[in-house]
Amino acid sequence: AQSVTQLDSQVPVFEEAPVELRCNYSSSVSVYLFWYVQYPNQGLQLLLKYLSGSTLVKGINGFEAEFNKSQTSFHLRKPSVHISDTAEYFCAVSGGFGNEKLTFGTGTRLTIIP
Amino acid sequence: EAEVAQSPRYKITEKSQAVAFWCDPISGHATLYWYRQILGQGPELLVQFQDESVVDDSQLPKDRFSAERLKGVDSTLKIQPAELGDSAMYLCASKPGTEYLELFFGEGSRLTVL
């Protein structure tokens, strides 16, 4: 079984400041990690994913995340946020092929302060 | 760009009434999911289809919820009778097949039960 913990339910950040959204996972098998973004009253859009290879993953809209196996973390970062980044961010884990059910965290609401 | 289509976007109903949601996945996508997202929480899997077959419905409340994908293309999720606690966003997602891990989500159907 796998699970995801997003410790911060809300993160306020000033515009153009850096941000880090935290995600820790638990899995007994190979782990594949994702970050999705959800704008108000919309579905989820994939930001980035870690399947294998380089532990630093770059995604859309200037976001990146680093897979850290020893700390079981997959934190999302952006060096300079914009008003348009205001949204809910979800970390998710999959057990991989044959066990590909995607399990989501509870989400982090990112609010950008002008 | 191909999208997952869902309807209706919004539905308000009274408790004990029946309600149905429709999903049309991206063309050629064999795997289809229904997720429920309660306000302030992450999405939770209700049911997974591979073509027309149910792969996982362990979290589907079968006394009132049903889902079908008769021809392995579009899908319907039904709730009868609706209860107050069913108020949530119902998200449909699809992917090409089990060899893929990334899910593509629709805009969702927001249900309010009065």
Side-chain angles (χ1 to χ4, degrees):
Chain A
Q2 55 253 12
S3 65
V4 168
T5 301
Q6 292 182 249
L7 293 171
D8 306 305
S9 59
Q10 297 187 60
V11 173
V13 180
F14 285 103
E15 193 173 13
E16 298 183 6
V19 68
E20 178 179 85
L21 305 183
R22 297 182 293 168
C23 172
N24 288 89
Y25 68 89
S26 172
S27 178
S28 58
V29 296
S30 299
V31 65
Y32 303 87
L33 294 157
F34 304 79
W35 276 99
Y36 281 84
V37 61
Q38 185 177 36
Y39 299 102
N41 287 317
Q42 293 188 22
L44 279 70
Q45 179 184 4
L46 182 69
L47 273 178
L48 49 78
K49 59 189 175 188
Y50 171 78
L51 303 182
S52 65
S54 173
T55 57
L56 183 62
V57 180
K58 294 189 182 297
I60 63 171
N61 301 342
F63 284 93
E64 64 180 32
E66 186 159 17
F67 172 63
N68 189 319
K69 188 173 182 179
S70 62
Q71 297 187 9
T72 61
S73 67
F74 190 55
H75 300 333
L76 181 71
R77 302 187 184 99
K78 186 170 182 178
S80 176
V81 295
H82 300 112
I83 289 289
S84 60
D85 293 322
T86 295
E88 190 92 18
Y89 292 79
F90 292 94
C91 183
V93 62
S94 167
F97 307 102
N99 183 23
E100 71 263 27
K101 174 183 173 180
L102 204 57
T103 301
F104 287 87
T106 52
T108 297
R109 180 173 299 277
L110 177 62
T111 301
I112 309 302
I113 305 166
Chain B
E1 184 177 324
E3 295 182 344
V4 176
Q6 288 190 247
S7 67
R9 286 293 313 278
Y10 303 93
K11 178 71 177 180
I12 300 175
T13 191
E14 294 184 344
K15 63 180 181 180
S16 79
Q17 296 298 305
V19 62
F21 302 108
W22 176 80
C23 171
D24 190 12
I26 294 172
S27 178
H29 281 199
T31 310
L32 184 148
Y33 302 83
W34 283 101
Y35 278 83
R36 176 170 61 182
Q37 184 182 18
I38 296 171
L39 192 64
Q41 299 182 20
E44 295 179 315
L45 180 67
L46 289 175
V47 62
Q48 176 186 349
F49 288 92
Q50 182 63 32
D51 298 307
E52 67 276 9
S53 301
V54 173
V55 173
D56 183 355
D57 64 355
S58 58
Q59 300 303 309
L60 188 70
K62 298 182 187 62
D63 56 334
R64 297 184 301 108
F65 285 66
S66 65
E68 60 183 16
R69 195 184 182 200
L70 294 176
K71 297 182 179 179
V73 181
D74 58 337
S75 175
T76 302
L77 177 70
K78 296 179 180 177
I79 308 173
Q80 183 173 17
E83 296 182 352
L84 296 177
D86 296 331
S87 293
M89 175 81 89
Y90 290 85
L91 294 162
C92 180
S94 70
K95 62 178 183 175
T98 56
E99 67 276 24
Y100 292 85
L101 295 178
E102 176 185 344
L103 268 60
F104 296 84
F105 282 85
E107 298 274 287
S109 295
R110 180 167 293 285
L111 173 65
T112 301
V113 182
L114 303 176

